[in-house]
Amino acid sequence: MKAFLEGNCCVVGLQWGDEGKGKIVDFLAEDADVVVRYCGGANAGHSVRIGGEKYATHLLPVGVFRPGVINLIGNGVVLDPAVLFQEIDELVRRGVPISPQNLKISYKAHLVMPYHMQEDAARENAAGAKGLGTTKRGIGPAYSDKMQRTTAVRVADLQHEDKLKEKVAFIVGERNKVLKVLYDAPPVDWKQVFETYRDFGRRMQPFVDDVGYLLIQYARAGKRIMFEGAHAALLDVDHGTYPYVTSSNCSSLGLFTGSGVPPQTVRNFVGIMKAYSTRVGDGPFPTEQANNIGDYIRERGNEYGTTTRRPRRCGWFDAMAVKYSVDLCGVNAIALTLLDVLSGLDHIKICTGYRYRGQRLDYFRADMDVLAEVEPVYETLPGWNGNITGCRRFEELPKEAQTYVKTLEKLVGAPARMVSVGPERTATLVR
Ligand code: GDP
Ligand code: IMO
Ligand code: MG
């Protein structure tokens, strides 16, 4: 595994999230010195299973489960301090040490405020069926304020309490007018918001650092750095299936702006893809199986959201979509996850292309109006039986499973160097 970390590496989701990034980051972190989150916020949910114990992180990098690893939260993250401290308290209670020694937070990160969550939920509720199906964690409104600038609050602002007070009073005053007119929402008490965030700031202070500067020093010192992507390439605000995306650059491209390092810092890009497709929330999904196949995958794969517990929509693997993500993210190694879930199916389909208005498309198009109309073209492969979770070498897998993996890697254009056959850290085959 060390090879993946020579020249540092980024782990990135290639579908619509929940590919098992948490599991693979934790697996690779055995050889890492530093793990960095660079995008998104508490809308992410990364699960890890160690010796039967289950953990889920929303904001903390998964490196917290490896003693000695330094975990960084980059400037590209939108931080909800309430969730952060809840997560820290819960993990510390369970014996996972978290302190300013192994966790550092960028002073440039932006904060998710209570009115962001209120606006996210109000907007989704008012839109009804036309909503995006967000996690209601305030992500879109927090990033909007970041771009808006005068209505944003950053981690650094927490250290200047007098100015923070003024800022919060101004922003909440303005926001209350908007929320009232648009959604007839009750006003937020600015003083309460100020006091809560002032206290969060005092608690956060020992963790706050200059993450970009630290990373540049670590890279120069030859430390092995892993960038933990959240969400996935198809949810990237610029390159995903817009508008059914999240509000950050959550492909690998976001790591440079989201953590503050130059591009040559990272040589390896490990793309995570599950052996089928899932999507939570709304938006086009060409290979969706809203039938007994989808139900079979959901139940065997426990495909329920880590953050919201919503049932995930399930379907066949979409090689058209993943090839696009592999190209976009510069992926040079794949980790294929959840292969065990497909055991027991007679046959397995792979989408190898799309037909659009009678014509074959030669490349994925991140345009929801086109995607909503495309017809997937499938190749069918034989399935396999039996529990493969105990396999520890690729050659131990049923021949049909091996063929499935080899077919996928050829279609997406990158080698499957890791194959995951169960949620446990140890259920990972390296090729
Ligand atoms: P992430 O957001 O990409 O980190 O993925 P999630 O943690 O939200 O969802 C992936 C789920 O699949 C979690 O419940 C993992 O424990 C589980 N998981 C990961 N890899 C495997 C695997 O190879 N097989 C099975 N059965 N479960 C897996
Ligand atoms: P991880 O890191 C799956 C989806 C939401 C919704 C859309 C916008 O666990 O893979 P948002 O709250 O971000 O404004 O919602 O994006 N979404 C995810 N789906 N896994 C995630 O993260 C996701 N993060 C956002 O479901 O459709
Ligand atoms: Mg998840």
Side-chain angles (χ1 to χ4, degrees):
M1 279 105 68
K2 271 206 176 86
F4 293 108
L5 281 149
E6 295 306 337
N8 305 324
C9 94
C10 172
V11 170
V12 61
L14 299 178
Q15 293 156 317
W16 286 281
D18 307 322
E19 295 88 354
K21 296 175 292 292
K23 153 148 190 182
I24 298 297
V25 171
D26 170 63
F27 178 72
L28 291 175
E30 182 176 9
D31 295 315
D33 299 307
V34 183
V35 179
V36 196
R37 268 283 303 267
Y38 62 85
C39 67
N43 48 344
H46 295 179
S47 356
V48 176
R49 195 107 131 226
I50 308 162
E53 281 293 305
K54 272 196 216 172
Y55 304 94
T57 66
H58 302 285
L59 285 165
L60 292 173
V62 159
V64 293
F65 302 105
R66 295 283 189 180
V69 167
I70 295 174
N71 296 277
L72 305 178
I73 295 181
N75 58 281
V77 169
V78 286
L79 197 68
D80 180 337
V83 176
L84 176 79
F85 290 127
Q86 214 176 340
E87 209 165 303
I88 292 177
D89 292 343
E90 162 78 3
L91 288 182
V92 167
R93 191 182 59 74
R94 294 177 67 185
V96 180
I98 295 167
S99 74
Q101 273 195 312
N102 70 342
L103 174 68
K104 298 174 194 301
I105 299 170
S106 170
Y107 72 87
K108 298 175 188 165
H110 281 250
L111 295 173
V112 175
M113 307 293 287
Y115 44 82
H116 290 141
M117 253 115 31
Q118 199 183 1
E119 182 183 334
D120 195 358
R123 201 180 281 275
E124 280 288 304
N125 295 341
K130 289 203 168 122
L132 298 175
T134 73
T135 59
K136 300 184 181 170
R137 296 292 187 271
I139 304 300
Y143 280 112
S144 301
D145 275 340
K146 172 175 177 173
M147 294 304 163
Q148 180 61 40
R149 295 156 298 171
T150 51
T151 48
V153 185
R154 300 202 304 173
V155 168
D157 296 326
L158 299 177
Q159 285 165 24
H160 310 288
E161 290 183 4
D162 289 342
K163 286 200 178 139
L164 178 72
K165 191 171 184 178
E166 262 175 49
K167 209 179 202 9
V168 170
F170 163 76
I171 298 170
V172 173
E174 192 189 88
R175 200 56 47 103
N176 278 340
K177 288 185 209 157
V178 174
L179 287 171
K180 170 81 186 139
V181 171
L182 290 183
Y183 308 110
D184 198 24
V188 176
D189 176 356
W190 75 264
K191 211 157 179 201
Q192 204 179 334
V193 175
F194 163 68
E195 285 166 5
T196 307
Y197 276 67
R198 178 199 60 202
D199 295 348
F200 283 147
R202 290 176 186 170
R203 186 170 173 197
M204 202 183 298
Q205 225 249 313
F207 295 93
V208 179
D209 215 319
D210 188 338
V211 164
Y213 178 71
L214 284 176
L215 276 170
I216 287 166
Q217 304 305 311
Y218 292 149
R220 283 192 185 136
K223 292 216 184 287
R224 288 187 289 249
I225 307 168
M226 180 156 42
F227 295 84
E228 175 179 346
H231 329 303
L234 300 176
L235 291 172
D236 184 287
V237 67
D238 282 282
H239 300 286
T241 51
Y242 194 87
Y244 294 96
V245 293
T246 188
S247 301
S248 61
N249 283 119
C250 53
S251 63
S252 59
L253 307 189
L255 87 85
F256 309 106
T257 51
S259 65
V261 296
Q264 60 270 38
T265 309
V266 188
R267 198 192 303 151
N268 291 308
F269 292 86
V270 179
I272 317 297
M273 61 189 205
K274 46 175 72 173
Y276 45 89
S277 307
T278 62
R279 178 160 206 173
V280 51
D282 295 293
F285 182 1
T287 63
E288 181 168 17
Q289 300 296 301
N291 53 32
N292 56 345
I293 296 282
D295 295 344
Y296 184 83
I297 293 174
R298 186 176 311 104
E299 292 320 307
R300 282 186 57 86
N302 186 27
E303 292 293 357
Y304 294 87
T306 307
T307 301
T308 58
R309 298 310 299 160
R310 289 178 290 177
R312 296 176 184 148
R313 299 156 67 194
C314 299
W316 297 120
F317 187 86
D318 187 341
M320 242 339 228
V322 174
K323 168 87 176 89
Y324 168 80
S325 300
V326 164
D327 290 347
L328 175 74
C329 295
V331 166
N332 54 358
I334 295 273
L336 177 70
T337 57
L338 294 127
L339 185 65
D340 53 300
V341 172
L342 295 184
S343 292
L345 290 168
D346 288 342
H347 64 267
I348 300 175
K349 289 189 183 188
I350 305 171
C351 167
T352 56
Y354 294 156
R355 230 188 295 281
Y356 176 63
R357 300 189 173 175
Q359 299 232 307
R360 180 107 182 201
L361 291 185
D362 52 13
Y363 205 56
F364 182 80
R365 208 174 146 79
D367 172 346
M368 72 144 260
D369 292 316
V370 173
L371 282 182
E373 252 188 71
V374 297
E375 264 175 69
V377 178
Y378 288 111
E379 180 179 328
T380 304
L381 262 56
W384 61 87
N385 284 310
N387 184 350
I388 61 170
T389 295
C391 295
R392 288 297 172 270
R393 288 189 318 117
F394 186 70
E395 295 69 29
E396 290 170 23
L397 293 172
K399 275 280 166 309
E400 295 81 2
Q402 293 186 28
T403 304
Y404 184 67
V405 175
K406 288 178 184 164
T407 307
L408 294 189
E409 61 185 359
K410 207 173 289 162
L411 285 168
V412 306
R417 300 282 306 281
M418 282 166 272
V419 177
S420 172
V421 291
E424 267 290 332
R425 191 183 252 181
T426 47
T428 318
L429 326 182
V430 179
R431 290 166 83 205

